[in-house]
Amino acid sequence: MAESRPVRLGVNIDHVATIRNARGGRHPDPLRAAHAAILAGADSITIHLREDRRHIRDDDLHRIVAEIEAPLNLELAATEEMLGIALKAKPHAACIVPEKRTERTTEGGLEVAGAKTLLKPMIAKLSDAGVRVSLFIEPNPVQIEAAAELKAPVIEIHTGAWCEAAMNGDHGGANKLFEHIRAAATQALGLGLEVHAGHGLDYQTAERISALPEIMELNIGHFIVGEALFEGLDIVIGELRIAMQRGRAAAKSRP
Ligand code: PXP
């Protein structure tokens, strides 16, 4: 059984950059969003430097590394270019994700089992540089085994399919997918991996997944930035934290 520590919240600010880039200027500034998110209670900041730089840019990464004190989690594709950037920037954590130019967001998990030769040296180099590596994967036992074999200290479970089913009111489908996540989290913890989760999470799904004691961290972006338009970043982050605490408390009170 995992210890029931509070779930950490990583706030992904990519879409602040998406809005900025729509006009090509400097506003709204992702660095300002990072400061505001930390002030509102984010435990860490997540950014994804995509190969096409569609939202976060190199300059954002450098300014955020230089100016924020909270841990930075850098999402990156498994390429030489990104490895070089991460080794120079030395963020607290690096989450290796699959990347396709045509996708709107990270659509699926990383194929770890089929890409061990590519991933192994990348994980080793990042770890040697003091960067905590996580692998963004589907809740799939084969991928989890492979992650443990490659000695990645952390996995982040892709919650996108579950969140989509839940959002569409497909309760049967959502429950089935949630059970896959639960099994994956148990398996990963049993193999000594730290377990994070992310993609598509909102108040309801963040609360529900926080009830899994294996989950140590959630990374949430799109919902926070979208909802902040109506409520403000600080209110949304505060509400999310409350929802996550409620979920965790429900887990603790179970017999
Ligand atoms: N975790 C990872 C690895 C991601 O790639 C993303 C999307 O950038 C997220 C979490 C956050 O997903 P969302 O923006 O849907 O909350």
Side-chain angles (χ1 to χ4, degrees), residues 10 12 14-15 46-48 50 55 73 75 95-98 105-108 134-137 156-160 197-202 218-224:
N12 180 316
D14 289 349
H15 294 308
T46 293
I47 54 175
H48 184 175
R50 292 188 74 104
H55 36 58
N73 173 33
E75 295 176 3
C95 180
I96 306 179
V97 301
T105 179
T106 316
E107 279 166 5
S134 76
L135 303 178
F136 188 45
I137 58 178
E156 181 169 326
I157 298 177
H158 196 312
T159 52
H199 211 281
L201 294 166
D202 61 10
L218 299 181
N219 282 298
I220 310 179
H222 187 266
F223 175 77
I224 292 177

Side-chain angles (χ1 to χ4, degrees), residues 81-245:
E81 183 203 11
M82 288 299 152
L83 175 63
I85 290 172
L87 288 174
K88 267 199 201 131
K90 289 204 175 51
H92 165 78
C95 180
I96 306 179
V97 301
E99 211 175 284
K100 293 186 218 119
R101 276 182 191 242
T102 50
E103 69 190 356
R104 270 195 233 157
T105 179
T106 316
E107 279 166 5
L110 194 65
E111 173 49 56
V112 183
K116 287 185 193 158
T117 323
L118 171 73
L119 293 171
K120 196 174 178 165
M122 186 163 178
I123 294 169
K125 282 179 194 160
L126 287 166
S127 300
D128 288 349
V131 178
R132 192 155 169 80
V133 179
S134 76
L135 303 178
F136 188 45
I137 58 178
E138 295 292 332
N140 172 322
V142 175
Q143 303 300 340
I144 293 165
E145 282 274 351
E149 207 182 295
L150 293 184
K151 300 203 174 9
V154 182
I155 58 157
E156 181 169 326
I157 298 177
H158 196 312
T159 52
W162 167 57
C163 291
E164 201 173 326
M167 201 176 63
N168 293 334
D170 172 8
H171 301 300
N175 285 338
K176 209 166 141 193
L177 290 163
F178 188 73
E179 288 313 313
H180 291 168
I181 293 172
R182 185 200 298 280
T186 308
Q187 179 196 0
L189 189 75
L191 290 167
L193 296 161
E194 181 173 315
V195 188
H196 301 175
H199 211 281
L201 294 166
D202 61 10
Y203 292 138
Q204 285 78 30
T205 44
E207 179 172 341
R208 182 149 187 225
I209 202 165
S210 296
L212 297 181
E214 296 85 357
I215 302 284
M216 295 307 300
E217 179 175 307
L218 299 181
N219 282 298
I220 310 179
H222 187 266
F223 175 77
I224 292 177
V225 174
E227 195 64 12
L229 295 174
F230 306 108
E231 304 289 344
L233 198 56
D234 53 343
I235 301 280
V236 180
I237 291 174
E239 289 293 323
L240 257 175
R241 293 221 71 115
I242 291 168
M244 288 159 62
Q245 278 160 14

Side-chain angles (χ1 to χ4, degrees), residues 76 172 199 254:
L76 75 177
H199 211 281
R254 253 184 238 137

